[in-house]
Amino acid sequence: MSSTTYECDFLVIGSGIAGLTFALKVAQEGTVHIITKKAKAESNTNYAQGGIAAVWDPEDSFEQHIQDTLAAGAGLCHPDAVELIVRNGPERVNELMKWGVKFSTTPNGRLDLGREGGHRRNRIIHATDLTGREVERALLNSVKENKNIRIFENHMAVELITEHHLQNKQTRPKQQPIHCWGAYVLDVEADQVKTFLSRTVLLATGGCGHVYLHTTNPSIATGDGVAMAYRAGAWVGNLEFMQFHPTTLFYPGANSFLISEAVRGFGGILRNSEGEAFMANYHPMKDLASRDIVARAIDAELKRSGADCVYLDVTHLDPNEVKSHFPHIYEKCLELGLDITAQPIPVVPAAHYMCGGVVTNLRARTSICGLYAAGEVAFTGVHGANRLASNSLLEALVFGNIAAKDAKNYRRNVDVPRNQIPSWSTEGTFNAEEWVLVAHDRGEIQTLMWDYVGIVRSNLRLQRAERRVRLVAEEIEDFYKRTKITEGLLELRNLSCVAQLMIAASRFRRESRGLHYNTDYPEPDDRYWKHDTFIHRDLGIQIALPAKIVWDDE
Ligand code: FAD
Ligand code: SIN
């Protein structure tokens, strides 16, 4: 392998909304390299449907958006982080429009505001049901016009570069701060690991839906950022809180396809196989209760009836309105022979969004100096035990922007120890002829996670998952150490790491709260009120008030 090295002021890992927002902001100050593991648009962002939650209607207020977010978060949201995203929402939406995003408007030219679960007002700014695609298009266009930004497609980050990699490294006390100076990156087409050096690094690698068998996420979502940061020695947090979206199309053989919550916001009604509108039995907000409640209700209906799916019914709504508000969903279903204006849509829940992630503070700094995290990979404290719909794009925008402000200052005082950073070594590794031995491990992890660490958990299920995933992970790690790396092997290694962290966090939280439901502890426990679950490679796992996990970030 060659020792190609690149150097810039700001390295961005990931080209979704968080990474691109950050890049556009810091490019005013220095050179930016964005590495992204597939084609540049391929990201969770690109598939977002419903929209961006922001206070826009004069009848709405920051206080109401804050209250709705806190209510969904079941006692674990960090109020200062929530306030930050809510109050910055309108400014960030305006900036998106300045960058060329075209949102849907009403006939009188105002932004059209949709509604989703858990919101007590219409505040979802959207571009029909293809919001993410429109945002990604506009951001990539702006990036293309910026001379300071260079994108490297099909480049996959392997590991973050820290003291651990330095030649002549000295033994350091465990508590001393670690620094990040870049990443080793697999150029997938050239089959070569390159060294990317930088004064600051933004992790914007998105989520980890593919830890599970059924997910709304595209294939990029394999938890790489959480796994890399954890291995590098960053704190990660609240990984027990995986959000399952209640409504993905149930169509055996077809790729997973989301039916936006905005459809329920528009009047869609969930019915069981007997045709009963069952949500009234579960929550006063019925179909617009928060996602954890709706997903669990569907799970209960499926277990009770033995049916394969429930149905989302929009046949009582004006067909033309349905088609004009949800053109993408309408067309996609029609391709599969389903006219949603005439037939109810078969739906099931699927893994959708990771509420936890790499722990950051209000400046988007992780516990590793020079390493920032924003977007789905980050645990900012905004979402608590359950994310409110459409708060994710908003969080990525706001924290991408905050990270940029901070990184511009931080990078001025950084010296990258470039002469001490070695090239990636392939010594002692062989080509992956034995790949077949571990290739099936991906499916095994996904099935174990779906069956044992899903919407409803128990101590026994979690114990089983822990034992089995640990065995599989050991096999993968052993294979990784001896083998020339490939994209598939790296993803598998990251999936097994994140699955283990999720199981550990789930076992540690001995209560049910928000998205984490354990039948052995079916109620929230007041002792865990406001307590997050933190995991560190060297310091282990703890459940603590966030104030306990602080680091010197000057
Ligand atoms: P992403 O957009 O996922 O981008 C991650 C980037 O990192 C990608 O470019 C990926 O290729 C790259 N990457 C990953 N690993 C590596 C690596 N090792 N090396 C290099 N590059 C890497 N949220 C809302 O608020 N509103 C919605 O309406 C909404 N709808 C959604 C619909 C769907 C179907 C899905 C899946 C999600 C939806 N979400 C929605 C959630 C939201 O889209 C995501 O949380 C958000 O887009 C995440 O943005 P991001 O920039 O953090 O990550
Ligand atoms: C959706 O459109 O239902 C997804 C919204 C979200 O994940 O916030």
Side-chain angles (χ1 to χ4, degrees), residues 144-362:
K144 198 165 127 201
E145 283 162 17
N146 196 309
K147 298 259 175 313
N148 267 356
I149 307 178
R150 179 168 173 199
I151 298 200
F152 296 77
E153 294 183 289
N154 302 309
H155 278 61
M156 177 173 187
V158 178
E159 291 292 12
L160 299 168
I161 297 174
T162 63
E163 276 85 351
H164 176 74
H165 297 99
L166 297 190
Q167 283 156 344
N168 314 320
K169 65 178 170 230
Q170 289 151 3
T171 317
R172 303 165 52 255
K174 280 186 177 167
Q175 300 283 5
Q176 206 167 301
I178 303 170
H179 297 79
C180 179
W181 295 294
Y184 291 115
V185 177
L186 174 68
D187 175 342
V188 177
E189 283 168 355
D191 188 21
Q192 191 185 96
V193 178
K194 300 172 172 175
T195 308
F196 278 73
L197 300 179
S198 181
R199 292 190 162 78
T200 64
V201 178
L202 176 77
L203 259 190
T205 48
C208 62
H210 281 269
V211 168
Y212 286 90
L213 194 58
H214 303 292
T215 176
T216 62
N217 294 188
S219 66
I220 53 99
T222 51
D224 299 356
V226 169
M228 285 188 292
Y230 171 75
R231 286 194 296 262
W235 282 102
V236 296
N238 275 9
L239 294 170
E240 65 274 39
F241 296 114
M242 183 74 195
Q243 183 169 71
F244 291 81
H245 196 292
T247 57
T248 58
L249 182 66
F250 176 72
Y251 192 93
N255 283 340
S256 163
F257 180 69
L258 184 78
I259 308 295
S260 175
E261 195 155 306
V263 173
R264 274 177 284 134
F266 197 66
I269 295 172
L270 283 164
R271 297 186 186 281
N272 59 23
S273 47
E274 292 103 53
E276 183 199 0
F278 59 84
M279 274 313 299
N281 305 334
Y282 293 90
H283 198 271
M285 285 180 85
K286 298 183 197 164
D287 298 275
L288 286 179
S290 61
R291 273 183 201 168
D292 52 336
I293 291 163
V294 182
R296 262 198 306 279
I298 295 176
D299 189 70
E301 287 294 316
L302 296 180
K303 286 194 174 125
R304 184 192 56 75
S305 66
D308 288 331
C309 62
V310 296
Y311 296 87
L312 180 55
D313 187 3
V314 294
T315 57
H316 55 289
L317 302 174
D318 177 339
N320 291 325
E321 292 269 311
V322 169
K323 286 183 211 169
S324 72
H325 274 82
F326 306 107
H328 179 55
I329 294 173
Y330 174 75
E331 286 299 332
K332 179 77 187 180
C333 291
L334 204 58
E335 273 171 29
L336 298 171
L338 183 78
D339 178 355
I340 64 170
T341 62
Q343 296 158 270
I345 313 167
V347 290
V348 283
H352 183 60
Y353 182 87
M354 171 44 78
C355 292
V358 182
V359 182
T360 58
N361 63 16
L362 290 179

Side-chain angles (χ1 to χ4, degrees), residues 230-512:
Y230 171 75
R231 286 194 296 262
W235 282 102
V236 296
N238 275 9
L239 294 170
E240 65 274 39
F241 296 114
M242 183 74 195
Q243 183 169 71
F244 291 81
H245 196 292
T247 57
T248 58
L249 182 66
F250 176 72
Y251 192 93
N255 283 340
S256 163
F257 180 69
L258 184 78
I259 308 295
S260 175
E261 195 155 306
V263 173
R264 274 177 284 134
F266 197 66
I269 295 172
L270 283 164
R271 297 186 186 281
N272 59 23
S273 47
E274 292 103 53
E276 183 199 0
F278 59 84
M279 274 313 299
N281 305 334
Y282 293 90
H283 198 271
M285 285 180 85
K286 298 183 197 164
D287 298 275
L288 286 179
S290 61
R291 273 183 201 168
D292 52 336
I293 291 163
V294 182
R296 262 198 306 279
I298 295 176
D299 189 70
E301 287 294 316
L302 296 180
K303 286 194 174 125
R304 184 192 56 75
S305 66
D308 288 331
C309 62
V310 296
Y311 296 87
L312 180 55
D313 187 3
V314 294
T315 57
H316 55 289
L317 302 174
D318 177 339
N320 291 325
E321 292 269 311
V322 169
K323 286 183 211 169
S324 72
H325 274 82
F326 306 107
H328 179 55
I329 294 173
Y330 174 75
E331 286 299 332
K332 179 77 187 180
C333 291
L334 204 58
E335 273 171 29
L336 298 171
L338 183 78
D339 178 355
I340 64 170
T341 62
Q343 296 158 270
I345 313 167
V347 290
V348 283
H352 183 60
Y353 182 87
M354 171 44 78
C355 292
V358 182
V359 182
T360 58
N361 63 16
L362 290 179
R363 298 203 272 177
R365 291 182 173 198
T366 70
S367 52
I368 296 184
C369 302
L371 179 68
Y372 294 79
E376 193 164 338
V377 69
F379 166 37
T380 62
V382 163
H383 307 304
N386 177 41
R387 174 176 68 98
L388 184 66
S390 285
N391 263 356
S392 155
L393 293 174
L394 174 64
E395 183 207 36
L397 280 172
V398 172
F399 276 94
N401 188 62
I402 288 172
K405 268 194 195 142
D406 201 79
K408 284 188 209 170
N409 289 325
Y410 178 88
R411 64 121 200 172
R412 295 198 182 105
N413 304 314
V414 180
D415 254 340
V416 177
R418 52 187 71 72
N419 298 328
Q420 289 186 62
I421 295 174
S423 307
W424 184 258
S425 167
T426 54
E427 211 174 299
T429 61
F430 59 90
N431 284 334
E433 299 104 11
E434 288 182 65
W435 173 238
V436 69
L437 293 183
V438 293
H440 67 276
D441 286 350
R442 185 167 173 138
E444 196 170 334
I445 293 171
Q446 291 169 327
T447 308
L448 282 168
M449 292 300 286
W450 185 257
D451 288 343
Y452 297 147
V453 197
I455 298 172
V456 175
R457 302 161 180 182
S458 71
N459 285 349
L460 185 68
R461 287 181 195 190
L462 292 174
Q463 261 170 31
R464 283 196 173 159
E466 185 186 63
R467 219 171 27 235
R468 294 185 188 186
V469 173
R470 192 191 327 121
L471 276 179
V472 176
E474 280 167 10
E475 252 175 57
I476 295 167
E477 199 56 31
D478 176 58
F479 189 74
Y480 170 82
K481 284 189 182 131
R482 294 181 295 116
T483 317
K484 195 172 150 220
I485 56 176
T486 60
E487 201 186 359
L489 177 56
L490 292 175
E491 286 190 347
L492 183 57
R493 182 175 183 237
N494 292 334
L495 283 175
S496 69
C497 171
V498 175
Q500 286 185 294
L501 294 170
M502 289 168 81
I503 297 167
S506 304
R507 289 201 66 192
F508 215 68
R509 183 173 287 282
R510 297 195 177 94
E511 64 164 350
S512 289

Side-chain angles (χ1 to χ4, degrees), residues 14-15 17-18 36-37 43-45 48 50-51 157 224 353 376 390 392-393:
S15 57
I17 188 168
T36 188
K37 70 178 177 181
S43 57
N44 275 6
T45 301
D224 299 356
Y353 182 87
E376 193 164 338
S390 285
S392 155
L393 293 174

Side-chain angles (χ1 to χ4, degrees), residues 29-49:
E29 292 263 332
T31 51
V32 186
H33 289 160
I34 302 177
I35 59 163
T36 188
K37 70 178 177 181
K38 300 266 186 214
K40 57 192 171 204
E42 194 54 11
S43 57
N44 275 6
T45 301
N46 205 39
Y47 296 86
Q49 292 186 354

